[in-house]
Amino acid sequence: MAEIKLFRLGSQVEELKSHSAVIEKELQNKIEKNMFKFFGVHFLDTEYRIDNGRMDSIGIDENNCPVIFEYKCHSNENVINQGLFYLNWLLEHKANFKLLVLEKLGKETADNIDWSMPRVICIAGDFNKYDEEAIKQINRNVSLIRYKQYNDDLLLFELLNSNTVAPIEIENNERKQTEKTFLQQYESAPKKFTAIYDELKDFALSLGDDVSESTLKLYSAFKKIKNFATMEIYKSNIRLNVKLNPNDYTLSENLRDVSEIGHWGCGDLQLIIKSEKDVPLAKELIQKSYEEN
């Protein structure tokens, strides 16, 4: 992998030399203490034991999807296969995970776990080209993140590759019968709204190679490492949520502060899109949220 060069500018230019964590546990502790800040994931447990091993870290992300973290200390470790083994175990033992969420975060979160997009995040000082090619062949959501530490106070995370696949089918008995999924909403929405959604989706994905779309149970999410925008589609409108401060905008009936209102997806600012005339503002908000998050 190409090395990232970081310099401190002053009277003299100083190159900051990067290094990996001396001890894997040292990195793991830093991530677990700041997991939501770094990755938008609520930390649940460390060294989570199962029948045939233990997961390094386990959490639930801002979309209420399970997330497994595996840390690669040595170049010959195959953390991708290890993470996939744990993910398959989790999908076969959903009750165990729900109980963990119930104990740590309460009943409301436990009742709203979204099993459509569980994922594995592999973190290492570096990966090889075979690792990046391997996840393209896997029908699971896997992200490779390289880290570099500079001095004692700078930590860099670089998203090298993210494999996002179609959502896992959810059995009807795992959700309310009256609840339509995002895909069902999309398929039944008027063509004018599916066209607007597709235009906004293409715009969001064009903002950078680091952007991916995840189709969740009730909405779609656009993220780098963390969400920066989410969208729901209905017969009468599209709801765009972004991670921007509502106080920075002139609010209206269509542009709302939802920080105190229950809603799906990320962010405190919501735009209700009713026609093509709302698309320019929607793109402006998506790009601003992408740049700030």
Side-chain angles (χ1 to χ4, degrees):
M1 303 294 176
E3 177 66 28
I4 291 175
K5 297 290 186 179
L6 184 65
F7 297 88
R8 177 180 286 119
L9 302 179
S11 56
Q12 291 186 331
V13 175
E14 175 190 0
E15 180 180 354
L16 301 182
K17 297 295 185 181
S18 67
H19 61 88
S20 300
V22 177
I23 304 172
E24 179 186 339
K25 190 65 178 176
E26 176 186 316
L27 172 68
Q28 184 174 340
N29 289 339
K30 288 178 182 177
I31 289 175
E32 289 175 348
K33 288 178 181 177
N34 302 280
M35 191 173 280
F36 194 81
K37 189 72 173 179
F38 289 155
F39 302 110
V41 177
H42 298 281
F43 171 67
L44 293 175
D45 205 358
T46 186
E47 305 298 334
Y48 183 69
R49 290 187 177 276
I50 63 172
D51 299 335
N52 299 307
R54 57 185 181 183
M55 306 174 193
D56 288 343
S57 306
I58 188 169
I60 185 168
D61 69 15
E62 54 195 329
N63 300 315
N64 277 356
C65 296
V67 183
I68 295 167
F69 285 80
E70 288 296 314
Y71 308 95
K72 180 177 179 180
C73 191
H74 304 293
S75 60
N76 60 351
E77 285 183 295
N78 196 335
V79 290
I80 298 174
N81 284 349
Q82 193 170 316
L84 290 171
F85 171 80
Y86 294 143
L87 181 56
N88 288 337
W89 183 93
L90 207 60
L91 288 169
E92 294 172 357
H93 297 80
K94 295 177 182 177
N96 298 61
F97 183 76
K98 184 173 182 177
L99 180 61
L100 176 62
V101 175
L102 181 66
E103 292 174 349
K104 300 288 185 176
L105 299 177
K107 186 176 185 301
E108 183 178 356
T109 304
D111 287 343
N112 287 290
I113 297 170
D114 189 338
W115 287 99
S116 61
M117 295 291 281
R119 58 193 171 114
V120 176
I121 296 178
C122 299
I123 300 177
D126 212 345
F127 294 92
N128 58 50
K129 62 182 180 180
Y130 304 109
D131 292 326
E132 291 194 55
E133 288 300 317
I135 69 167
K136 295 176 184 178
Q137 311 302 319
I138 298 168
N139 190 32
R140 286 287 185 260
N141 295 297
V142 181
S143 298
L144 303 183
I145 295 180
R146 179 171 68 168
Y147 80 92
K148 293 294 179 185
Q149 187 163 341
Y150 297 85
N151 296 342
D152 294 324
D153 59 347
L154 293 174
L155 183 59
L156 178 147
F157 291 112
E158 180 186 8
L159 179 62
L160 296 180
N161 212 330
S162 185
N163 194 44
T164 304
V165 299
I168 295 173
E169 284 287 331
I170 301 171
E171 297 295 331
N172 285 334
N173 61 4
E174 289 186 40
R175 61 170 181 255
K176 298 175 183 177
Q177 295 288 330
T178 57
E179 201 172 70
K180 279 191 174 183
T181 67
F182 172 82
L183 290 176
Q184 289 171 333
Q185 293 279 23
Y186 179 89
E187 289 168 358
S188 63
K191 287 185 179 180
K192 70 173 184 178
F193 288 125
T194 58
I196 290 173
Y197 175 84
D198 291 342
E199 181 179 350
L200 294 178
K201 177 186 76 172
D202 291 343
F203 176 77
L205 294 173
S206 73
L207 292 173
D209 293 337
D210 53 349
V211 179
S212 62
E213 179 196 19
S214 294
T215 304
L216 285 307
K217 184 169 64 175
L218 299 174
Y219 58 90
S220 66
F222 298 87
K223 64 177 185 287
K224 294 186 277 187
I225 292 178
K226 299 191 290 185
N227 289 352
F228 64 87
T230 60
M231 282 196 282
E232 307 155 64
I233 186 168
Y234 300 101
K235 290 186 177 180
S236 59
N237 60 62
I238 295 171
R239 297 186 183 184
L240 168 69
N241 296 308
V242 289
K243 286 184 176 177
L244 295 172
N245 187 346
N247 295 329
D248 295 337
Y249 294 85
T250 301
L251 302 180
S252 64
E253 183 181 347
N254 284 11
L255 188 62
R256 308 192 301 167
D257 179 350
V258 292
S259 58
E260 302 297 328
I261 301 173
H263 63 285
W264 300 112
C266 73
D268 293 335
L269 186 64
Q270 182 182 85
L271 176 65
I272 300 176
I273 301 165
K274 296 182 177 180
S275 69
E276 274 285 346
K277 70 178 184 180
D278 299 316
V279 170
L281 177 56
K283 289 183 177 180
E284 177 186 325
L285 296 175
I286 291 171
Q287 181 161 359
K288 186 71 172 174
S289 187
Y290 168 81
E291 292 170 351
E292 292 191 5
N293 294 283

